[in-house]
Amino acid sequence: PKKLERIFSETRRRGYATRDPSYVAGRYGGTSFDDGAAAIAVALSDGKRVHGSINFRWIKTAFTVEEFAVRHLADLQDAAREIVSSLQRSAK
């Protein structure tokens, strides 16, 4: 629980989640491999509940996570707000 709370705190502070550095791709039970990608994600939250998340993924040699966030986090957050707004309108 302490490690998880530390991860949540860092995510809240940054404003986005990142891929766990130990993540490896591959099929369940199959051979794992480094897919060469990095990602950031934001929650689809209406303040009362989290409906899901949305992410951007890119080839990690193109940008660091921090560089990518500076360039694209606002777009990702805008998309998340638009999706949540759409969910709220359709629930009425």
Side-chain angles (χ1 to χ4, degrees), residues 19-27 30-39 57-62:
R19 230 184 196 195
D20 187 309
S22 66
Y23 173 83
V24 290
R27 296 180 69 172
T31 304
S32 323
F33 61 94
D34 179 357
D35 66 358
R57 197 172 96 149
W58 67 95
I59 298 169
K60 63 184 168 187
T61 56

Side-chain angles (χ1 to χ4, degrees), residues 20-86:
D20 187 309
S22 66
Y23 173 83
V24 290
R27 296 180 69 172
Y28 181 75
T31 304
S32 323
F33 61 94
D34 179 357
D35 66 358
I40 61 173
V42 297
L44 299 174
S45 175
D46 61 14
K48 296 178 186 171
R49 65 187 266 206
V50 175
H51 300 273
S53 63
I54 184 172
N55 74 316
F56 279 153
R57 197 172 96 149
W58 67 95
I59 298 169
K60 63 184 168 187
T61 56
F63 302 99
T64 67
V65 169
E66 295 78 14
E67 290 169 336
F68 195 87
V70 165
R71 289 176 178 233
H72 301 291
L73 178 59
D75 295 326
L76 188 60
Q77 291 169 328
D78 288 345
R81 279 190 290 276
E82 187 174 328
I83 291 167
V84 170
S85 178
S86 176

